[in-house]
């Protein structure tokens, strides 16, 4: 009892010290939103969400390792330890991916910024406290995330693998290497990206870093997703882990570490295991050094800068010749809305990250279609359905991504400018959006897919294929904009979970059913081009249906929306 | 007593502040005036310990503020020009954070914050996130957090920005009462009428150089002007306001 009291007193004393208060503040700041419309979750919710993928994945493995099911399947020679290598690889990749995504998404919060400077530097704290408190918060969070992402799987996975063993020693013999491996893999992922940020901050001029930072993050998100899914596909397709060709992947190094510890001897894996440890130590050293140096370079010099927030001068400048933009957007309001939408999309971190991540998923699926395409075409001049599906799939992800992302509000406080200056009778946000979507979807179809198809399958096929894809694109765009009556990025309506779920389900069904069906239809028509008459009739009917639905909308549904924030459905009671 | 002795600050080789000196005794309020780019913000940053001067020294109660910054900051209350607060904290949480980081007793923070929130009409909003606060509300939060620990020295950088008339009036009276309580106050502002009313002394800067320094009456008498506004205009005004206004209207009317 006395010991508990002592520990409690020690903890309370510690929690009262400014340094630990500051460290706690930095940890909290990492997961808080800046804008009222931005999604903000408590640390508890975040930790719960992060633990979920590992938990579900390990539960699904019961099917593979259940001795009873093996008995029913007639699997008499099953070595669970050897069979676990592929699953261990999955957990390594999963923990690395989740950790990497967290760091990339909270990139801006890794280092103390101007806001921290203006709030904390005037307080009676030694300036090195701010430095160390943030470092401690980061290291603490890295450890907490590593544990959280892997906590459930660290129990269930070893338990399932050792189902046929009834001793605790067997469980521990497997569980300890597994836990250590996945934790180290998570930590490596964290520190590797942190080291990259710190080094770039150090090496690049400040302005260049600010400009590049956003685009680098998008590349990292896409790269992480592609790596994750490609690893997953490799695993699913081959049934076991990738071979020596992929020994340059950090995830393979950690698998090597695991196997070496467990005593599974495969050629080259011990070397990979050593590489994992070296890489982890190197990433830790580089990240701490880069943090210290870039802290000195950036944070301590904030006072010498003007009062503007750092993000204010991070802009991507692009200009289109006036005649060209006038050709596409003939009226001033149309032009204004399109310019606003384009600039928001390419300059807003939140929107670009969402759009980039969504396109990344699309690219993974495209790669999958390309890799697994079967030569199912009876005629050489007609491409396989999987190849025909590729432009449709890219188009689907581009236009739905763009449509979804416009529902995430940008700075709502700036909406007054549209309300005050836009003539509702002249403005046609759906028209501007339609043109924007087509601008992002059509040029590459005509300039890239057309010539490529012509090169491999002849000009007739290329023309018919391009015409078909363009028509489907137009229909899809019209369908997505059927109830679009708002300035993009300005609506305060935050998507409900139910809506989000419906959209994801719709997109998934489109990928699984609609795109293959359309590609099949196109292939069927390409085999006998007069069949395109029937296809045209079908698509015409769809176009008519969309038009009919749009014209049938009540008048109030066609008015331009400028929603104010709806009242919260519930609020926390502050009973303290 | 706050004293600046020949403060000079250069960014690269460009001097932002050039040989500025003044003294503020307990109970005095120094109004610090100057057009944009005159070196006001640089002075404030030096006096709050955020920047080190290139040469010269800032002394508080005879001691160089840089010699023990945490001890100096314990006696300092600062209202910055920009209310760059943590948007995810509520007003009350912000005071709790600042109070705890200042090492104040939690009960004392709660008690004082509660009183000040009521006086400045923020009490009903104390549990709402700062992101939902208006500019004036944020400014009031800054004001409370600056005086929460009962500092001896107060530095105000455009404190009235965004405040409504009533709060601005309360603030003005508060400055006067605090100065009569013996606090040392440095007041940096563009609002000449307020400065004229609350400050005992005035310093006017232009391009980092000290143009005039003295009591309000002395300055007006010296410049043979009736008000501080006229004195200020005669010293620093570079643009003819009437001419500029005419040019603006011309630009709007042009085709």
């Amino acid at each position: 009892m006395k010991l508990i009291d002592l520990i409690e007193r020690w903890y309370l004393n510690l929690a009262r010290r400014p340094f630990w208060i500051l460290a706690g503040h930095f940890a909290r700041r990492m997961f808080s939103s800046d804008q009222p419309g931005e999604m903000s979750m408590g640390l508890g919710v975040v930790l719960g969400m992060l633990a979920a993928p590992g938990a579900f994945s390990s539960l699904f493995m019961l099917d593979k390792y259940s001795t009873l099911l093996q008995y029913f399947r007639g699997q008499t020679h099953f070595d669970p330890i050897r069979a676990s290598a592929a699953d261990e690889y999955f957990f390594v990749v999963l923990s690395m991916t989740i950790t990497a995504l967290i760091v990339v998404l909270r990139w801006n919060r890794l280092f103390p910024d101007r806001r921290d400077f203006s709030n904390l530097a005037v307080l009676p704290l030694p300036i090195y406290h701010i430095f160390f408190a943030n470092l401690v918060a980061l290291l603490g969070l890295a450890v907490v995330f590593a544990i959280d992402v892997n906590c459930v799987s660290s129990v269930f996975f070893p338990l399932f693998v050792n189902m046929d063993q009834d001793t605790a020693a067997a469980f521990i013999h497997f569980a300890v290497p597994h836990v250590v491996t996945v934790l180290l893999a998570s930590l490596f992922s964290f520190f590797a990206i942190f080291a990259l940020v710190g080094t770039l901050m150090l090496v690049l001029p400040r302005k260049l870093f600010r400009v590049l930072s956003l685009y680098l993050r998008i590349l990292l998100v896409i790269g992480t997703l592609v790596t994750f899914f490609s690893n997953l596909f490799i695993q699913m397709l081959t049934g076991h882990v990738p071979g020596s060709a992929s020994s340059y992947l950090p995830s393979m190094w950690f698998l090597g570490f695991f196997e070496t510890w467990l005593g599974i001897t495969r050629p080259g894996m011990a070397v990979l295991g050593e590489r994992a440890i070296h890489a982890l130590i190197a990433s830790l050293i580089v990240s701490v050094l880069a943090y210290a140096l870039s802290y000195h370079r950036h944070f301590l010099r904030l006072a010498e800068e003007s009062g503007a927030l750092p993000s204010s001068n991070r802009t991507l400048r692009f200009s289109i010749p006036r005649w060209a933009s006038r050709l596409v957007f003939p009226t001033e309001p149309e032009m204004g809305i399109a310019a606003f939408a384009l600039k928001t999309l390419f300059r807003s971190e939140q929107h670009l990250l969402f759009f980039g991540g969504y396109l990344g998923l699309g690219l993974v699926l495209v790669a999958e279609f390309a890799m697994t395409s079967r030569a199912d075409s009876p005629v050489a001049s007609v491409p396989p359905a999987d190849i025909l599906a590729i432009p449709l799939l890219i188009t689907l992800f581009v236009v739905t991504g763009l449509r979804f992302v416009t529902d995430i509000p940008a700075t709502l406080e700036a909406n007054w400018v549209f309300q005050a200056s836009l003539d509702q009778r002249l403005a046609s946000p759906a028209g501007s959006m339609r043109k924007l979507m087509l601008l992002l979807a059509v040029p590459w179809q005509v300039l890239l897919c057309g010539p490529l198809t012509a090169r491999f399958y002849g000009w007739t096929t290329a023309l018919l294929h391009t015409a078909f894809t363009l028509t489907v694109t137009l229909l899809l765009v019209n369908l997505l904009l059927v109830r679009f009556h708002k300035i993009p990025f300005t609506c305060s309506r935050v998507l409900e979970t139910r809506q989000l779920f419906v959209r994801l389900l719709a997109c998934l069904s489109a990928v699984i059913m609609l795109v293959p069906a359309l590609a099949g239809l196109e292939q069927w028509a390409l085999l006998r081009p007069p069949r395109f008459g029937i296809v045209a009739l079908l698509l015409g009917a769809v176009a008519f249906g969309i038009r009919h639905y749009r014209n049938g909308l009540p008048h109030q549904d066609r008015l331009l929306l400028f929603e104010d924030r709806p009242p919260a459905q519930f609020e926390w009671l502050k009973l303290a | 007593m706050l004293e600046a002795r020949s403060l000079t600050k250069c960014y690269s080789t460009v001097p932002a502040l050039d040989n500025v000196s003044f003294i503020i005794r307990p109970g005095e309020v120094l109004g610090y005036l100057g057009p944009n780019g005159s070196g006001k913000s640089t002075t404030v940053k030096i006096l709050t310990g955020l920047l080190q001067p290139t040469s010269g020294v800032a002394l508080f109660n005879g001691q160089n503020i840089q010699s023990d910054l945490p001890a100096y900051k314990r006696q300092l209350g600062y209202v910055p020009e920009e209310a760059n607060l943590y948007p995810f904290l509520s007003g009350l949480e912000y005071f709790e954070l600042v109070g705890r980081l200042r090492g104040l007793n939690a009960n004392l923070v709660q008690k004082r914050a509660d009183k000040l929130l009521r006086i400045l009409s923020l009490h009903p909003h104390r549990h709402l996130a700062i992101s939902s606060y208006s500019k004036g509300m944020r400014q009031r939060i800054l004001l409370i957090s600056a005086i929460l620990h009962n500092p001896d020295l107060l530095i105000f950088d455009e404190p009235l920005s965004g405040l409504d008339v009533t709060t601005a009036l309360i603030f003005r009276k508060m400055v006067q009462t605090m100065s009569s309580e013996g606090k040392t106050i440095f007041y940096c502002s563009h609002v000449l009428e307020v400065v004229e009313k609350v400050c005992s002394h005035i310093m006017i800067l232009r391009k980092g150089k000290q143009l005039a320094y003295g009591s309000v009456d002395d300055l007006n008498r010296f410049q043979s002007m009736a008000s501080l506004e006229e004195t200020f205009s005669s010293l620093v005004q570079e643009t003819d306001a009437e001419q500029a206004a005419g040019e603006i209207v011309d630009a709007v009317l042009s085709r």
Side-chain angles (χ1 to χ4, degrees), chain A residues 25-37:
Chain A
H25 169 70
F26 279 125
R28 184 180 173 188
R29 151 194 180 282
M30 207 82 75
F31 288 92
S32 307
S33 69
D34 277 2
Q35 298 294 328

Side-chain angles (χ1 to χ4, degrees), chain A residues 6-79:
Chain A
L6 272 175
I7 292 171
E8 192 185 347
R9 207 174 303 153
W10 171 80
Y11 171 75
L12 287 175
N13 268 334
L14 203 67
R16 261 188 234 124
R17 288 189 186 167
F19 179 84
W20 293 104
I21 294 166
L22 203 55
H25 169 70
F26 279 125
R28 184 180 173 188
R29 151 194 180 282
M30 207 82 75
F31 288 92
S32 307
S33 69
D34 277 2
Q35 298 294 328
E38 220 177 280
M39 190 165 63
S40 172
M41 289 178 285
L43 193 59
V45 180
V46 174
L47 292 179
M49 282 172 62
L50 295 178
F56 283 115
S57 317
S58 54
L59 288 176
F60 284 129
M61 284 171 190
L62 180 63
D63 172 63
K64 179 177 173 182
Y65 295 100
S66 163
T67 45
L68 182 68
L69 294 173
Q70 282 165 23
Y71 173 76
F72 283 129
R73 283 191 212 112
Q75 283 178 296
T76 49
H77 300 291
F78 183 74
D79 181 354

Side-chain angles (χ1 to χ4, degrees), chain A residues 32 116 119 121 303 305 307, chain B residues 45 73 82 84-86 88 94:
Chain A
S32 307
D116 296 307
N119 282 282
E305 293 181 355
Chain B
K45 283 175 184 171
K73 286 175 183 174
E82 197 183 342
N84 197 0
L85 300 163
Y86 290 109
F88 53 87
Y94 185 76

Side-chain angles (χ1 to χ4, degrees), chain B residues 51 79 107 133 147 166 192 206 239:
Chain B
L51 266 185
V79 177
N107 289 334
Y133 284 16
I147 58 175
T166 315
L192 299 178
R206 193 175 74 170
T239 319

Side-chain angles (χ1 to χ4, degrees), chain A residues 15-16 18 21-22 25 28-29 32-36 114-126 302-309 574 576, chain B residues 9 11 45 48-51 69-71 73-74 76 78 80 82 84-90 93-94 97-98 100-103 127-128 131-132 142:
Chain A
R16 261 188 234 124
I21 294 166
L22 203 55
H25 169 70
R28 184 180 173 188
R29 151 194 180 282
S32 307
S33 69
D34 277 2
Q35 298 294 328
R114 178 174 292 283
R115 182 171 289 132
D116 296 307
F117 189 83
S118 63
N119 282 282
L120 303 174
V122 290
L123 296 176
L125 301 163
L302 281 175
E304 294 184 7
E305 293 181 355
S306 65
L309 281 169
K574 301 281 181 184
Chain B
K9 178 69 190 176
Y11 294 114
K45 283 175 184 171
T48 47
L50 300 178
L51 266 185
L69 263 179
K73 286 175 183 174
R74 235 167 264 136
L76 167 72
Y78 169 50
E82 197 183 342
N84 197 0
L85 300 163
Y86 290 109
F88 53 87
L89 295 178
S90 70
E93 284 171 340
Y94 185 76
L97 173 74
V98 171
R100 289 166 82 193
L101 290 175
R102 283 190 176 280
H127 293 307
L128 294 179
S131 59
S132 64
L142 281 179

Side-chain angles (χ1 to χ4, degrees), chain A residues 551-565:
Chain A
N551 291 341
L553 284 175
H555 177 68
Q556 64 267 27
D557 279 357
R558 294 194 223 169
L559 291 174
L560 206 53
L561 285 175
F562 285 112
E563 284 176 296
D564 287 324
R565 179 162 296 281

Side-chain angles (χ1 to χ4, degrees), chain A residues 337-495:
Chain A
I337 293 168
F340 170 74
L342 261 182
K343 282 171 186 167
T344 307
L345 179 65
F346 286 106
R347 288 179 185 176
S348 158
E349 201 175 286
Q350 191 188 7
H351 295 91
L352 202 51
L353 275 176
F354 181 91
F355 191 54
Y358 192 75
L359 283 186
L361 271 178
L363 285 176
V364 172
L365 285 171
V366 167
E368 193 50 24
F369 268 74
M371 280 191 297
T372 59
S373 68
R374 287 157 292 139
D376 60 352
S377 177
V379 183
S381 63
V382 175
D386 284 345
I387 296 292
L388 290 171
I390 288 174
L392 291 174
L393 204 60
I394 298 177
T395 304
L396 179 80
F397 274 89
V398 169
V399 296
T400 53
L402 198 58
R403 175 65 187 85
F404 293 167
V405 88
T406 54
D407 279 346
I408 303 173
T411 315
L412 288 171
E413 298 89 302
N415 273 359
W416 62 268
V417 73
F418 293 104
Q419 300 198 44
S421 54
L422 204 64
D423 184 342
Q424 294 224 10
R425 290 162 305 172
L426 298 176
S428 164
S432 301
M433 265 307 284
R434 183 177 296 112
K435 287 174 184 173
L436 268 184
M437 284 174 157
L438 292 174
L439 269 178
L440 289 183
V442 168
W444 57 266
Q445 287 180 15
V446 176
L447 300 173
L448 194 70
C449 294
L452 273 178
T453 317
R455 163 78 180 77
F456 292 106
Y457 303 101
W459 277 106
T460 314
T461 305
L463 282 173
L464 290 169
H465 172 58
T466 309
F468 178 81
T469 316
L470 288 176
T471 314
V472 171
T473 305
L474 191 62
L475 284 178
L476 184 64
V477 167
N478 281 338
L479 185 69
L480 287 169
L481 296 176
V482 79
R483 291 174 76 102
F484 190 86
H485 300 292
K486 60 187 180 186
I487 310 292
F489 305 107
T490 64
C491 235
S492 62
R493 184 188 288 165
V494 178
L495 278 182

